[in-house]
Structures are given as structure tokens and as C-alpha cells.
């Protein structure tokens, strides 16, 4: 399990405050294709990489979707109800999905840079 950082608890290299959020990473074709399908919710977030667009067909809950560029800068954040098709983001290389409302709570918005780090409890 990895974590992504955004401001609230720990101070980062530029003095900004950071929040650590549990993050699962889907990088294989099988895991990218499955995403959050068949789940009733998620604790933390799921990063799909590489990815420039997502859909919420067969989803059981509303999700927040953050599109990230190559340098992990947030390009756009949208909320998607089940059964929707998201527009492709040409600059997006990664997508982070979470339960609806979580990204606003975490302060994730366009222009924010996300840092990914392996958590201490992760197994390699």
C-alpha cells in the first residue's frame, strides 16, 4: 500500500502541511480494468495509471475523480454518479478515485501537486 500526500498534518519540503491518505495503485491491465467495480466503497483512494479517462458503469456508489498530469499535478476534479462516462483529459496520465466528497475534504483541487510514497507497513 502506498500513500499520497496533501496538506493537513505533516509539513512537506516546501513548508506546506500534508495529509496522508491510504492509496492502492492499479497499474496492470487487469487491475486498471477492474478499478472500483463491484465494491461498495473504498477506504482512502485508488490510483489508476496510466489513465486519461474513466467511467462509472456498474459502479455501486458515487465517486470523486482527480485527473493528474505526468508530474502528479491535479488537472481536474469531478464527481461521477454511477452509469456515467467521463471525458478524456488530454494532459492526464493518472487518475485517483475515491468516495464522493473525500477529495474536497482532503483539499484536492486543480493546481495541487500530489506526492506518492510507500507506507511503512507496505510489503514489496
Amino acid at each position: 500500500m502506498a500513500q499520497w500526500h496533501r496538506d493537513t498534518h505533516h509539513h512537506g519540503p516546501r513548508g506546506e502541511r500534508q495529509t496522508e491518505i491510504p492509496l492502492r495503485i492499479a497499474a496492470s491491465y487487469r487491475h486498471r480494468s477492474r478499478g472500483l467495480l463491484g465494491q461498495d466503497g473504498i477506504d482512502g483512494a485508488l490510483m489508476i495509471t496510466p489513465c486519461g479517462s474513466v467511467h462509472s458503469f456498474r459502479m455501486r456508489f458515487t465517486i470523486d475523480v482527480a485527473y493528474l498530469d505526468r508530474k502528479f499535478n491535479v488537472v481536474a476534479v469531478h464527481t461521477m454518479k454511477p452509469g456515467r462516462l467521463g471525458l478524456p483529459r488530454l494532459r492526464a496520465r493518472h487518475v485517483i478515485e475515491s468516495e464522493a466528497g473525500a477529495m474536497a475534504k482532503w483539499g484536492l483541487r486543480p493546481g495541487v501537486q500530489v506526492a506518492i510514497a510507500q507506507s511503512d507497513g507496505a510489503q514489496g
Side-chain angles (χ1 to χ4, degrees):
M1 170 108 29
Q3 298 176 355
W4 68 269
H5 302 283
R6 175 58 196 128
D7 59 272
T8 323
H9 295 123
H10 305 286
H11 290 283
R14 292 183 224 134
E16 73 275 8
R17 295 174 52 114
Q18 297 182 344
T19 299
E20 294 183 359
I21 308 299
L23 178 70
R24 290 184 302 148
I25 299 175
S28 71
Y29 176 78
R30 188 177 112 206
H31 288 111
R32 287 193 320 262
S33 298
R34 179 145 173 91
L36 295 175
L37 296 176
Q39 297 184 30
D40 293 320
I42 182 171
D43 178 31
L46 172 71
M47 183 168 97
I48 304 171
T49 184
C51 184
S53 67
V54 297
H55 66 82
S56 60
F57 300 122
R58 298 184 1 227
M59 294 286 295
R60 296 180 182 169
F61 59 100
T62 302
I63 59 172
D64 282 346
V65 179
Y67 298 88
L68 311 178
D69 67 12
R70 292 177 196 261
K71 296 182 179 181
F72 298 100
N73 295 307
V74 178
V75 176
V77 177
H78 294 283
T79 300
M80 292 180 67
K81 294 181 180 179
R84 305 283 193 239
L85 178 63
L87 295 174
R89 305 290 170 190
L90 298 178
R91 293 187 331 161
R93 295 297 174 264
H94 319 280
V95 169
I96 294 178
E97 297 179 344
S98 67
E99 288 191 21
M103 293 191 186
K105 183 177 81 173
W106 298 331
L108 196 63
R109 60 188 179 284
V112 167
Q113 187 171 36
V114 173
I116 310 291
Q118 185 170 335
S119 65
D120 295 333
Q123 296 180 4

